[in-house]
């Protein structure tokens, strides 16, 4: 049970605040006036979305409180001067967009799958009095991670299709 509780705590700590900011839950923390947008690549050179840099003004704040900031994983390239309502999570600005919400959701689900499979294997060991084969643990973890990946891809495709029509 401690392993399962640890997995839930880890998934919540690492992803909940970022996912809620990316989904646009709650009032905006401020507005970013876009200066420039650019494509971002991951460590292997694959496209990892679009970031925009600009000037962030906190909600209810004046122009004297503006500071430079980068909005990560925007919904696309925005023209200079566009005002984006953003939410902050762990010092990072997020525009409401499906792409980062799906990324953080997949990360949380993978953490939960690994914790649940491990906890289930240990619970089965305690219940039967002997440990099941290790291949069962590896197979269960592999199937769970593949299921999360497939569901994440399906959710991403669905979000992309919905975004085309909005």
């Amino acid at each position: 049970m401690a392993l399962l509780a640890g997995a839930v705590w880890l998934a919540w700590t690492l992803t909940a605040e970022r996912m809620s900011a990316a989904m646009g839950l709650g009032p905006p923390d401020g507005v970013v006036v876009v200066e420039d947008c650019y494509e971002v690549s991951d460590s292997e050179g694959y496209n990892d979305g679009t970031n925009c840099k600009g000037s962030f003004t906190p909600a209810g704040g004046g122009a004297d409180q503006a500071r430079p900031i980068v909005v990560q994983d925007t919904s696309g390239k925005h023209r200079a001067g566009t005002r984006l309502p953003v939410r902050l999570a762990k010092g990072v600005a997020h525009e409401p967009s499906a792409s980062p919400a799906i990324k953080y959701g997949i990360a949380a689900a993978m953490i939960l799958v690994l914790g649940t499979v491990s906890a289930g294997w240990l619970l089965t060991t305690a219940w039967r009095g002997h440990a099941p084969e290790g291949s069962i643990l590896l197979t269960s973890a592999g199937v769970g991670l593949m299921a999360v990946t497939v569901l994440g891809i399906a959710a991403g495709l669905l979000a992309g299709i919905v975004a085309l029509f909005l």
Side-chain angles (χ1 to χ4, degrees), residues 13-89:
T13 302
L14 294 178
T15 63
E17 184 180 358
R18 292 177 176 147
M19 196 180 332
S20 67
M23 290 172 57
L25 299 177
D29 292 320
V31 175
V32 172
V33 178
V34 175
E35 295 170 6
D36 183 35
C37 291
Y38 53 92
E39 297 292 324
V40 180
S41 300
D42 64 9
S43 61
E44 296 176 357
Y46 295 107
N47 184 5
D48 197 27
T50 304
N51 288 356
C52 294
K53 63 181 178 178
S55 179
F56 172 75
T57 305
D64 59 330
Q65 295 177 334
R67 62 181 170 92
I69 198 165
V70 174
V71 182
Q72 294 187 351
D73 289 324
T74 61
S75 58
K77 287 190 174 185
H78 298 285
R79 292 189 319 245
T82 302
R83 297 173 55 85
L84 298 176
V86 297
R87 282 136 185 97
L88 300 177

